[in-house]
Amino acid sequence: MKSFGGPITFVLFLLLIHTARAAVPTPNFTTQVGDSVTLDTKIPKGAAYVNIQLRSASLRKGLAVWIPGKPISVISPQFSGRITFEEDRHEFHISHLRVEDGGIFEISMENAESVMTDLGKYVVFVFNISVVSASRFDNQSCSMDLLCEAGTGSRAVTYTWKHMSKGSTVSRSPWLHLVMDPKDQGDTYTCTAQSLGMQGTWDIKPYPQCGPKSGAQGLFGLRFPSICLLAQALLLTLVVAHSG
């Protein structure tokens, strides 16, 4: 008797791979701190429901509930005043995004029998690329340090930086140190964040952010690491003076 164990096993293996891939959501939105995002509820035509709910799977809590004919109820203090619902389009709108907002969002509807139906799942990467320190010199060259942060809903995030035109990886950490000349002012660098099989990217042209000569602050001002270095230097100066 001819055995079909091999082919059947192979087909089952392919089905398992397909199922596993389908179960992993892909990033739907890549945005930055301060921007907003709109999530479509994808309500089936003619569906009967008593409410539509927005939940953060990453934070493991409900965020907002909309009941037809009533104002939206935002139940998460973290998102207070930042979630609205567009009744005509049936869309949730989240504004003034923060790094900690990033992650997986789920939308579901509840019918009169209290049965919940999943409507959609979205992945939102929220990037914040800041210039931690920058100095412009007399020859207009610039030394600067960039920090890339991405809210993905997970602490297990890996980062890489790439020089776009050259296609080369220049850093495999959230940090990127650059020394740039005026001829580099058009150069673009991309920060890629990966987490739980998902990936998001954000681009930046660093040179224009260098600021005026002699150590101007960066895009979002002086960050915590630089403050620590200044404090350590001041403390060292005081200790030396006291010893003398």
Side-chain angles (χ1 to χ4, degrees), residues 14-32:
L14 291 178
L15 288 174
L16 286 173
I17 291 178
H18 177 76
T19 303
R21 287 178 177 174
V24 178
T26 55
N28 296 89
F29 297 97
T30 302
T31 182
Q32 67 177 338

Side-chain angles (χ1 to χ4, degrees), residues 30-37 82 94-98 126 202:
T30 302
T31 182
Q32 67 177 338
V33 168
D35 284 354
S36 60
V37 66
R82 298 195 293 126
I94 308 174
S95 61
H96 306 293
L97 287 167
R98 307 166 183 169
V126 183
W202 198 259

Side-chain angles (χ1 to χ4, degrees), residues 132-147:
V132 177
S133 62
S135 298
R136 190 185 292 273
F137 306 108
D138 291 337
N139 63 358
Q140 296 304 306
S141 64
C142 175
S143 174
M144 62 197 314
D145 291 287
L146 305 179
L147 174 61

Side-chain angles (χ1 to χ4, degrees), residues 153-214:
S154 170
R155 294 182 179 180
V157 185
T158 59
Y159 296 89
T160 55
W161 282 92
K162 282 191 175 183
H163 188 292
M164 283 297 291
S165 61
K166 297 179 180 178
S168 57
T169 298
V170 291
S171 176
R172 296 189 182 276
S173 80
W175 295 90
L176 176 62
H177 176 72
L178 295 173
V179 177
M180 308 182 75
D181 295 321
K183 63 179 177 60
D184 304 319
Q185 58 183 316
D187 287 3
T188 300
Y189 290 81
T190 298
C191 175
T192 299
Q194 292 183 315
S195 176
L196 303 177
M198 301 173 291
Q199 176 176 298
T201 62
W202 198 259
D203 298 340
I204 183 175
K205 290 186 177 181
Y207 186 85
Q209 311 298 336
C210 196
K213 190 174 65 175
S214 71

Side-chain angles (χ1 to χ4, degrees), residues 53-131:
Q53 302 179 20
L54 175 64
R55 182 177 184 272
S56 170
S58 302
L59 298 175
R60 297 182 181 179
K61 64 180 180 181
L63 304 182
V65 179
W66 177 72
I67 298 175
K70 295 184 178 181
I72 187 173
S73 177
V74 180
I75 58 180
S76 170
Q78 176 179 330
F79 290 85
S80 178
R82 298 195 293 126
I83 299 180
T84 57
F85 189 81
E86 175 58 52
E87 294 189 32
D88 293 338
R89 297 178 178 272
H90 292 110
E91 296 172 338
F92 285 101
H93 185 78
I94 308 174
S95 61
H96 306 293
L97 287 167
R98 307 166 183 169
V99 171
E100 58 268 26
D101 295 338
I104 300 174
F105 293 84
E106 297 174 337
I107 298 176
S108 59
M109 68 178 184
E110 182 179 6
N111 65 17
E113 287 74 38
S114 298
V115 176
M116 302 295 298
T117 301
D118 294 333
L119 298 178
K121 182 180 294 187
Y122 296 92
V123 178
V124 179
F125 275 34
V126 183
F127 277 85
N128 182 41
I129 299 181
S130 52
V131 180

